[in-house]
Amino acid sequence: MTKPYDHTLELLDRLIAFPTVSAESNLALIDFVEDHLRLCGFQIHRLPSPTEPKAGLLARLGSGQGGIMLSAHSDVVPVKSQNWTRPEFTLTEDGDRLYGRGTTDMKGFLASMLALAGRARGANLGQPLMLCISYDEEVGCTGIREMMPGYQALGWNPDLCIVGEPTGMRPAIGHKGKMAFRATCRGKAGHSSLAPKYANALHLASDLLACLRRIQEAYAASAGQDDAYDIPYSTIHAGRMQGGAALNIVPDVATVEFELRHIGGDDPTDFIARLAAEIAPVLVPYREVCPEANIFIETINAYPGFAVYKDDPIVHRIAAFSGNPGPIKVAYGTEAGYFAGIGIPTIVCGPGDMEGQGHKPDEYLEIAQLAACDRMLDRVLESLG
């Protein structure tokens, strides 16, 4: 079996030991990475979070325009309430697998790119090698959004960005965009023995869910679908509903949190307009008993979708680097849309499988996948010579 570089495994062992769950600080990991990259001769730019004890890191080796940027996030999802049979924040090798939180998503790629930094030290690069390490990707790509002004101020202009999320080392050329919403349903409180005289906010919330389901049915039946996705149409998901203080009180407020994951052909502003049109007639009977009844909707998070034409030259370039010619699209979101949105040619390609391994108890990465990533990054470095 092809093995990763020893240095990659050593770095992955160190990275897994940092419990960088999104709710916690990542500064200890960033300190370690910064020290490592300085020793490798990189120019470092730390970008602190404006609100949290966290930071992102930008690093560059070499000068001039063009070059290649490698991108990874430092945070991981929680392990709480998951039934692990191995230590979560200790790298454990067992057979052909490497276990530990973040092995697949996505400290395996981060370890491989940090090991590449060591191999790049002293190299005579004709074009620069750039690294981007972000925070808070797992809570809606908020860290990279905060980092983008600092990145753009540097004036870097890479010819290619590789976002190393787990794709089984296949070039991923698209994912859906996402918008997350909170709906606050306002009614009128009263004693439950007189319930019909009041506007029950939970009833408003349930009618809102019915509106969302009707729009979802329309997306599922629409002609404009993308068969490259497992679910070829835009999806709406309601994940949380809260309301009510006691059984004998008609609730005057309820909240619903829901999301839209939209394919490229569906404009999210059209969804917002359609939802408003669906809600308007729903409110009419409630306002007969409570004129102030309403449903207020706020956007609580969003990140852009990502799409590259399958015949784009950068797809062929990544296929040559990775040894996997067949492009795919992935169900999960990434930071790729932010880089593509400022004009950087971008592809998602990295080791591991999100569906089978990421975010699960006993998360693991196949050793052969990490080895394949090391070989891909060797080709990246050779291309910069």
Side-chain angles (χ1 to χ4, degrees):
M1 178 179 64
T2 304
K3 297 279 286 184
Y5 290 118
D6 289 342
H7 195 203
T8 303
L9 291 171
E10 292 166 4
L11 286 164
L12 182 57
D13 181 69
R14 292 293 304 274
L15 293 171
I16 296 299
F18 294 106
T20 50
V21 174
S22 301
E24 306 296 331
S25 173
N26 74 335
L27 292 181
L29 180 148
I30 291 297
D31 288 343
F32 167 75
V33 170
E34 182 172 348
D35 289 344
H36 170 76
L37 292 176
R38 286 196 187 280
L39 288 173
C40 295
F42 279 71
Q43 177 187 6
I44 305 295
H45 302 272
R46 183 184 285 228
L47 299 179
S49 164
T51 59
E52 304 284 344
K54 300 176 182 179
L57 208 64
L58 299 169
R60 177 182 170 116
L61 184 68
S63 59
Q65 294 299 309
I68 294 176
M69 182 161 64
L70 308 176
S71 174
H73 62 80
S74 62
D75 58 317
V76 298
V77 296
V79 298
K80 186 178 180 180
S81 301
Q82 290 190 333
N83 185 25
W84 284 69
T85 64
R86 295 169 173 83
E88 299 95 327
F89 295 106
T90 299
L91 185 66
T92 303
E93 183 174 346
D94 188 352
D96 62 354
R97 297 177 176 180
L98 300 164
Y99 290 88
R101 175 54 88 218
T103 46
T104 280
D105 187 19
M106 59 178 298
K107 289 180 177 179
F109 183 80
L110 177 56
S112 188
M113 77 185 212
L114 293 178
L116 178 73
R119 300 196 298 280
R121 181 182 183 182
N124 185 20
L125 298 181
Q127 292 182 300
L129 173 64
M130 290 152 278
L131 309 179
C132 176
I133 302 164
S134 68
Y135 57 94
D136 282 356
E137 188 273 347
E138 298 289 3
V139 291
C141 298
T142 58
I144 194 66
R145 185 162 62 241
E146 293 172 347
M147 291 172 62
M148 289 311 291
Y151 168 79
Q152 291 180 277
L154 295 174
W156 295 355
N157 189 30
D159 295 325
L160 174 65
C161 175
I162 303 174
V163 178
E165 292 278 9
T167 66
M169 296 305 299
R170 294 165 293 178
I173 60 172
H175 65 69
K176 298 176 182 179
K178 176 182 172 181
M179 295 188 74
F181 303 91
R182 180 183 297 111
T184 303
C185 304
R186 293 285 181 182
K188 186 175 182 180
H191 196 282
S192 62
S193 65
L194 300 172
K197 292 185 175 227
Y198 304 102
N200 189 318
L202 281 172
H203 292 182
L204 269 169
S206 67
D207 288 344
L208 169 65
L209 293 180
C211 294
L212 295 175
R213 292 181 68 179
R214 285 193 294 272
I215 300 174
Q216 175 66 95
E217 289 166 2
Y219 279 137
S222 68
Q225 300 194 7
D226 188 339
D227 291 333
Y229 291 109
D230 290 338
I231 308 296
Y233 47 84
S234 297
T235 60
I236 302 164
H237 161 70
R240 195 176 186 198
M241 183 166 75
Q242 293 180 306
L247 180 58
N248 63 347
I249 300 175
V250 176
D252 63 346
V253 64
T255 60
V256 178
E257 293 181 8
F258 60 98
E259 68 175 26
L260 168 71
R261 292 183 183 256
H262 53 94
I263 61 174
D266 290 330
D267 187 337
T269 59
D270 291 340
F271 164 75
I272 294 170
R274 178 163 185 176
L275 181 57
E278 289 274 353
I279 288 172
V282 165
L283 292 171
V284 172
Y286 292 96
R287 287 178 172 170
E288 292 176 358
V289 296
C290 175
E292 63 269 27
N294 212 338
I295 298 175
F296 302 95
I297 296 176
E298 60 180 314
T299 302
I300 56 177
N301 191 31
Y303 59 71
F306 165 66
V308 177
Y309 289 112
K310 64 180 180 180
D311 294 326
D312 191 297
I314 66 168
V315 179
H316 302 295
R317 189 179 184 191
I318 292 293
F321 286 155
S322 69
N324 284 294
I328 61 172
K329 293 186 178 181
V330 294
Y332 54 86
T334 77
E335 297 172 337
Y338 285 96
F339 296 110
I342 59 171
I344 301 174
T346 303
I347 292 286
V348 181
C349 186
D353 175 67
M354 185 68 81
E355 182 177 358
Q357 300 156 14
H359 293 204
K360 299 180 183 297
D362 287 341
E363 179 181 347
Y364 70 89
L365 176 64
E366 293 178 354
I367 291 174
Q369 283 280 298
L370 189 58
C373 186
D374 277 346
R375 307 302 173 248
M376 177 180 78
L377 295 189
D378 275 345
R379 298 181 190 110
V380 167
L381 186 60
E382 289 169 8
S383 76
L384 297 174

Coordinates of all heavy atoms in Angstrom, one line a residue, residues 127 137 252 264:
Q127 N 7.0 30.5 -9.6 CA 5.8 31.1 -9.2 C 5.5 30.8 -7.7 O 6.0 29.8 -7.2 CB 4.6 30.6 -10.1 CG 4.7 31.0 -11.5 CD 3.4 30.5 -12.3 OE1 3.2 29.3 -12.3 NE2 2.7 31.4 -12.8
E137 N -15.4 27.5 9.4 CA -16.1 27.0 8.2 C -17.3 26.2 8.5 O -18.3 26.2 7.8 CB -15.1 26.2 7.4 CG -15.6 25.8 6.0 CD -16.4 24.5 6.0 OE1 -16.3 23.7 7.0 OE2 -17.0 24.2 4.9
D252 N -47.9 33.2 22.1 CA -47.9 34.4 21.3 C -46.7 34.6 20.4 O -46.6 35.5 19.6 CB -48.1 35.7 22.2 CG -46.9 35.9 23.1 OD1 -46.2 35.0 23.3 OD2 -46.8 37.0 23.7
G264 N -27.5 26.2 -9.1 CA -27.1 27.5 -9.7 C -28.2 28.1 -10.5 O -28.2 29.3 -10.7

